[in-house]
Amino acid sequence: MLFLLLSIICSVTVGVLFKFSRKYNVSNTQIVASNYVFALILCYLFFSPEFNDVGISAPWGIYIVIGILLPSIFLFLAASIKHMGIVKTDAAQRLSLFIPILAAWLLFKEDFNMLKIAALVVGLPALLLILAKPSQNTENKWIYPAVVLLGFGVIDILFKQIALYTSLPYTTSLFVVFGIALLIMVGAVIYEVAFSKVSLNIRNILFGGLVGIFNFGNILFYLKAHQAFVQNPSTVFAGMNMGVIIIGSLFGIIIFKEKLTKMNFAGLFLALVAIVLIVISQTI
């Protein structure tokens, strides 16, 4: 349970760092790029990736797509936290779990029981209520959490496809994906510096380092939690998604004074109900 709690804290802390960075004149592009530098270093130290196994047979097409999507969605995540707040962004990110569930049903023809249907029926209004009635400075900014939801859902599907390549360690694939994401972001930083005249700043690197540490910590402790609850993965699944929504909401409301309407609170409650229904559906 300690690993699960640490994973939740790391996930929420990433959002807190992006929210806190608003007080400074920072470049999210540089922060995300630095994040992958630190994540790669930690991935190498903790997972000892086996590079000899990475060859022509590796799923390079999926690697490249995820390597492009990850930093892109990370930038949308930062923008969503800026315009919509931690509460709504964390909820949207966690509700992205409906995307792979729908894909499993529509694309991979997996069985779809009534509980999963009920979860989707509850999840859609939950999302609409969570994003309802933004404040004046966030009007029409719902697109950011919407992209976060869709993006993380697609990324989850692609990572599940990578996991099917059992001849290649999952952690090695993770290192390769981080490497591609870093190359993409280095190119974005170079473009920003050369054409947008944005200066490199040590503050961005420091924020990026912290984001990278907690981003990697989220992954590391989540994997360890699954190892600890190997006989009951639904516990980790439920705990992670519900924990991030609850703790993220507490941080947003108490620390950053984010304003939520009764409709937003109703949406958060329905989101938790939807997650519970999904967990139950996976145990029968």
Side-chain angles (χ1 to χ4, degrees), residues 17-58:
L17 287 170
F18 275 118
K19 184 80 172 183
F20 185 70
S21 69
R22 291 181 59 193
K23 296 182 179 180
Y24 304 92
N25 185 23
V26 297
S27 163
N28 285 331
T29 304
Q30 293 179 31
I31 290 175
V32 173
S34 301
N35 148 76
Y36 286 116
V37 173
F38 284 82
L40 270 172
I41 293 172
L42 292 171
C43 190
Y44 181 81
L45 293 175
F46 280 88
F47 295 147
S48 300
E50 302 172 15
F51 299 111
N52 292 332
D53 295 333
V54 182
I56 298 176
S57 61

Side-chain angles (χ1 to χ4, degrees), residues 18 34 39 45 79 87 136 156 158 165 196 204 232 245 252 270:
F18 275 118
S34 301
L45 293 175
V87 178
Q136 291 181 353
D156 190 22
L158 295 175
Y165 288 83
S196 300
N204 296 321
N232 194 11
I245 290 178
L270 288 178

Side-chain angles (χ1 to χ4, degrees), residues 187-210:
V189 170
I190 292 173
Y191 178 87
E192 190 177 70
V193 171
F195 295 98
S196 300
K197 307 303 180 183
V198 177
S199 301
L200 292 174
N201 193 311
I202 188 64
R203 186 180 294 157
N204 296 321
I205 297 174
L206 292 175
F207 269 113
L210 289 173

Side-chain angles (χ1 to χ4, degrees), residues 160-227:
K160 282 182 170 61
Q161 294 303 301
I162 285 179
L164 297 177
Y165 288 83
T166 54
S167 59
L168 193 64
Y170 184 80
T171 49
T172 299
S173 294
L174 191 64
F175 185 90
V176 174
V177 168
F178 281 168
I180 295 172
L182 175 59
L183 290 176
I184 296 295
M185 290 312 302
V186 166
V189 170
I190 292 173
Y191 178 87
E192 190 177 70
V193 171
F195 295 98
S196 300
K197 307 303 180 183
V198 177
S199 301
L200 292 174
N201 193 311
I202 188 64
R203 186 180 294 157
N204 296 321
I205 297 174
L206 292 175
F207 269 113
L210 289 173
V211 169
I213 291 170
F214 285 103
N215 188 27
F216 178 80
N218 173 32
I219 296 169
L220 175 65
F221 293 125
Y222 188 68
L223 292 175
K224 286 187 175 294
H226 269 294
Q227 291 172 353

